[in-house]
Amino acid sequence: MLTEEQSDFLVYEMKRGRRTIFENLMRDEKITALKSVDIKLQEDEMNVVDWLISDYYDFGPGILGGRCACGRRLRYMFTIEHQTTHKKIQYGKDHLSAFLNIEVNEIDGVINELDKIDNELDELLWKTENNEYYYEYYERLPDKTVISESIKKHIELNLPFLDPQINRLNKYFEKQMEALEEEQRKIQREVELKKSQETRRQIEELLKEKKKIDDVLGAERKAQREAEFKRQQQENERIEKLSQEQ
């Protein structure tokens, strides 16, 4: 059971979504002139910018509950309204496309967009009835500051998340986890770099110590060679002196 605040929000969002779709259609660059269909338009009613789609109703499969200005029974009924004279005309998709001078498939596209809004409302009602809110997709986010205002509003009003919202939350989560994993890899690289630098420093210290030892040993060997050379030289001189005395 929805609260009054929840119901008001859903009705407002449905109307806002429909209004956006209607305005986008009427602002389409392909719509540049109107064609009088079923009803004669006055000269001051021929400017396309003065007309807006004010309502739409889908009576359901097999139900022809609407009526076109031509008298034909309709399932899909659009109401267009002149913003100055407030003249209203009801059309089906065929005569609406003729009135706007566009192809019928353009109106089919509008109907598909409107169906999405109705389907989202049905989805919310079903999830509410079955107590499936899917807030766990929000709760697991490491950084919750990135979520959209629409998601915040659903949480504020205790409304379930729509499937597209859940998909966005999944993308937020995956992106944040990738960022965290990359940060962990960065830290690991820094740790390994420090280890490598410490190992290199230790090796350099060992090489310095080895050089000192080599230098000492080299000096000792040189001193020994010089001492041996001097001893040999002295021995030669002694032998030569003895030889001379004989």
Side-chain angles (χ1 to χ4, degrees):
M1 187 72 176
L2 295 176
T3 65
E4 182 178 352
E5 187 178 14
Q6 288 173 328
S7 297
D8 290 344
F9 172 75
L10 294 179
V11 170
Y12 170 79
E13 285 297 301
M14 182 180 70
K15 289 181 177 179
R16 185 178 67 86
R18 286 188 169 195
R19 185 169 61 250
T20 299
I21 293 171
F22 296 153
E23 289 175 354
N24 288 342
L25 173 66
M26 297 305 291
R27 291 171 183 165
D28 195 308
E29 294 179 355
K30 292 189 287 292
I31 301 177
T32 57
L34 299 177
K35 179 181 178 182
S36 182
V37 179
D38 303 324
I39 292 180
K40 183 173 178 59
L41 299 179
Q42 302 301 318
E43 185 176 347
D44 61 353
E45 296 174 336
M46 294 301 295
N47 192 340
V48 66
V49 299
D50 294 329
W51 289 89
L52 286 176
I53 299 174
S54 60
D55 200 7
Y56 161 79
Y57 198 87
D58 177 3
F59 290 90
I63 302 175
L64 304 179
R67 191 175 293 276
C68 181
C70 69
R72 180 183 176 185
R73 303 294 295 274
L74 302 168
R75 170 184 171 176
Y76 305 107
M77 185 175 73
F78 292 87
T79 299
I80 58 172
E81 181 177 354
H82 193 274
Q83 299 304 291
T84 303
T85 66
H86 299 291
K87 176 184 286 187
K88 292 184 178 181
I89 311 173
Q90 275 77 39
Y91 282 134
K93 61 180 183 178
D94 293 330
H95 283 187
L96 177 60
S97 66
F99 177 78
L100 298 176
N101 275 315
I102 58 177
E103 298 295 328
V104 176
N105 61 11
E106 299 282 349
I107 306 300
D108 287 332
V110 170
I111 291 174
N112 287 336
E113 291 297 315
L114 293 168
D115 285 344
K116 289 180 183 177
I117 294 177
D118 292 339
N119 291 338
E120 286 182 352
L121 181 59
D122 291 340
E123 179 188 341
L124 282 174
L125 294 174
W126 184 91
K127 287 179 176 178
T128 301
E129 183 178 350
N130 289 274
N131 198 33
E132 295 185 6
Y133 290 78
Y134 298 95
Y135 284 176
E136 63 270 20
Y137 288 91
Y138 166 78
E139 295 297 339
R140 69 176 182 171
L141 285 177
D143 178 10
K144 296 179 175 59
T145 62
V146 299
I147 63 172
S148 64
E149 290 300 320
S150 66
I151 291 176
K152 291 179 183 177
K153 195 66 178 178
H154 277 237
I155 296 172
E156 178 187 335
L157 295 176
N158 195 34
L159 287 169
F161 291 144
L162 292 164
D163 286 348
Q165 291 174 322
I166 293 173
N167 290 336
R168 285 203 300 275
L169 288 170
N170 267 331
K171 289 179 180 178
Y172 289 149
F173 178 75
E174 290 171 0
K175 187 174 181 179
Q176 289 181 18
M177 292 307 295
E178 287 175 1
L180 287 174
E181 289 171 0
E182 177 57 31
E183 183 64 22
Q184 289 176 346
R185 287 192 291 268
K186 181 181 177 182
I187 293 172
Q188 184 62 32
R189 287 195 297 269
E190 290 175 353
V191 169
E192 291 174 355
L193 177 60
K194 288 180 180 179
K195 287 182 179 179
S196 175
Q197 290 173 339
E198 178 62 20
T199 300
R200 188 181 301 115
R201 186 190 65 79
Q202 292 174 351
I203 292 173
E204 289 174 353
E205 290 295 327
L206 289 173
L207 290 174
K208 287 179 182 178
E209 288 298 319
K210 182 178 182 298
K211 185 176 185 303
K212 288 180 182 179
I213 294 171
D214 290 342
D215 288 345
V216 170
L217 292 176
E220 289 179 353
R221 284 194 292 269
K222 180 180 179 182
Q224 288 175 354
R225 286 195 300 273
E226 289 176 349
E228 178 63 22
F229 176 77
K230 187 175 182 179
R231 186 193 65 77
Q232 187 65 44
Q233 189 178 38
Q234 290 174 345
E235 178 66 17
N236 291 338
E237 289 175 354
R238 186 183 67 80
I239 294 171
E240 184 177 352
K241 184 177 181 181
L242 288 173
S243 175
Q244 290 175 353
E245 289 176 352
Q246 291 177 359

